[in-house]
Amino acid sequence: MENSENTTPAKPFYDGLLSVIVPCKNEVEAIPVFYGEFKKVMQGMGSPKYELIFVEDGSTDGTLDLLRRMSKEDPSVRFISFSRNFGKEAAMYAGLKSARGDYVTIMDVDLQDPPSLLPDMFSAIISEGYDSVASRRCTRCGEPPMRTHAARLFYKILNSLSDLKFKEGARDYRLMTRRVLDAILGLEEYNRFIKGMYEWVGFKTKWIDYENVPRSAGETKWSNFGLLVYSLNALTSFSTVPLVMAALVGIALCALSGLGIIFVIIRQLLEPGSSQWGWPSMVCIMLFLSGMQLFCLGVLGHYMSKIYLETKRRPAYIVRETSE
Ligand code: UDP
Ligand code: MG
């Protein structure tokens, strides 16, 4: 696969093929900007071999038409188009499965995962012997402050509940060798959370920090509610501690009620008739306890719904059209 704009005579930065997976939902404005920037970076790296795999995730704008055109004009561009919107996790999975490269990376199309980090990432793999190079935003400027606080809180809770350690600001963007990719493809679960999978498979990983970059064009696809659901899924995908906590809360409340019963008996013995006092506090206690029960049921239900979805063995996505 030779790139037509091969203008830089320098020796290619790496041998072999790089697969770049780019999930896209309604990104007709951002794709051309990404394509131009990515090719510039590749030229700067001595025009090594690459394939760009755009995964079109149920777009309603002209994204698919644009990708059809691009794949005709440039042999290093491929696309996979879904039958509807399946979400970014499914799009990344489809891309990873179809990647043919010796090296693989996933990038957002809005340039928030800067392609300019690629030379440093390759150096770490080729010269320093790492298996994968992960990226992490060290700042979140340009993002609503509430989202930043919520994200911080999420990582704190996730890290305290899971055996795996998640870095705050970690991106889906990372460069990995075929060995790491094959390990990730070995995880065939339906409820996918790729950041957790990266941590779960392990391997020697280097972290690169970078400043947050605002979106190049178009708009974010995430609503606050969408992010909340995503966070809950992430939490329960890589930790069963909430289930243990529900049981512990139950035990603690039983112990507390035991103490309460002893208190009521002693008071009744010391002051006959006093056990009729305090029905308003009784109502509060009952409300609290029913609340806790519903909460624990909710936690249980959430895990159960995940088992339910896994047992159906439905595919994570359905492909409607591909470039070849
Ligand atoms: N995306 C996708 N499917 C979705 C939502 C998003 O493929 O259902 C893609 C989107 O086109 C972009 C990337 O995922 O390339 C990240 O999305 P976005 O920039 O909206 O997220 P943010 O950076 O705001 O977290
Ligand atoms: Mg973005």
Side-chain angles (χ1 to χ4, degrees), residues 4-266:
S4 48
E5 283 81 5
N6 201 339
T7 50
T8 319
K11 188 178 166 292
F13 218 86
Y14 57 86
D15 298 322
L17 177 71
L18 166 69
S19 298
V20 184
I21 294 145
V22 193
C24 302
K25 182 192 168 199
N26 295 341
E27 299 284 10
V28 75
E29 293 157 43
I31 289 172
V33 186
F34 170 83
Y35 184 61
E37 176 65 24
F38 179 78
K39 287 220 296 199
K40 235 191 273 166
V41 171
M42 282 292 124
Q43 277 171 16
M45 290 173 72
S47 298
K49 285 184 191 167
Y50 67 85
E51 58 170 0
L52 270 172
I53 309 171
F54 290 95
V55 187
E56 188 277 309
D57 183 17
S59 300
T60 47
D61 63 357
T63 299
L64 180 56
D65 288 335
L66 175 63
L67 293 177
R68 279 191 194 118
R69 249 180 291 137
M70 282 169 64
S71 68
K72 276 203 190 102
E73 284 163 17
D74 182 345
S76 41
V77 172
R78 293 202 277 135
F79 74 83
I80 299 167
S81 172
F82 285 174
S83 61
R84 65 168 172 86
N85 177 245
F86 282 91
K88 188 184 169 189
E89 288 289 337
M92 290 189 287
Y93 187 33
L96 291 174
K97 281 220 284 202
S98 84
R100 300 163 181 163
D102 309 288
Y103 304 98
V104 183
T105 184
I106 302 173
M107 280 182 203
D108 283 4
V109 74
D110 56 11
L111 293 178
Q112 288 194 297
D113 297 330
S116 55
L117 296 184
L118 278 176
D120 284 346
M121 288 177 152
F122 267 109
S123 298
I125 287 187
I126 294 166
S127 324
E128 297 168 46
Y130 285 97
D131 300 304
S132 80
V133 186
S135 67
R136 178 178 165 267
R137 287 193 296 194
C138 53
T139 56
R140 283 178 170 262
C141 48
E143 198 183 60
M146 206 189 87
R147 222 171 239 206
T148 309
H149 290 308
R152 274 219 181 109
L153 182 67
F154 163 66
Y155 277 103
K156 264 205 190 118
I157 298 176
L158 186 61
N159 280 330
S160 59
L161 293 187
S162 173
D163 293 339
L164 304 172
K165 287 296 155 246
F166 295 90
K167 281 224 166 40
E168 193 191 323
R171 305 281 298 169
D172 296 330
Y173 177 32
R174 69 166 67 190
L175 179 68
M176 52 199 140
T177 54
R178 171 56 59 179
R179 203 171 357 170
V180 180
L181 172 67
D182 287 342
I184 287 175
L185 288 179
L187 310 183
E188 293 177 341
E189 61 227 56
Y190 177 83
N191 295 288
R192 302 187 73 80
F193 174 54
I194 195 133
K195 280 181 202 145
M197 293 178 173
Y198 288 150
E199 295 308 314
W200 193 88
V201 297
F203 290 102
K204 222 176 137 207
T205 303
K206 179 175 180 171
W207 284 87
I208 293 187
D209 287 359
Y210 70 96
E211 302 265 322
N212 188 33
V213 196
R215 207 172 215 287
S216 63
E219 280 174 6
T220 176
K221 310 292 173 298
W222 287 101
S223 63
N224 289 333
F225 183 69
L227 277 175
L228 181 71
V229 173
Y230 174 76
S231 315
L232 277 180
N233 267 331
L235 238 164
T236 48
S237 284
F238 281 88
S239 171
T240 47
V241 176
L243 285 172
V244 180
M245 275 170 60
L248 287 179
V249 168
I251 292 171
L253 285 175
C254 282
L256 200 68
S257 79
L259 288 177
I261 290 168
I262 295 169
F263 168 76
V264 171
I265 292 172
I266 294 174

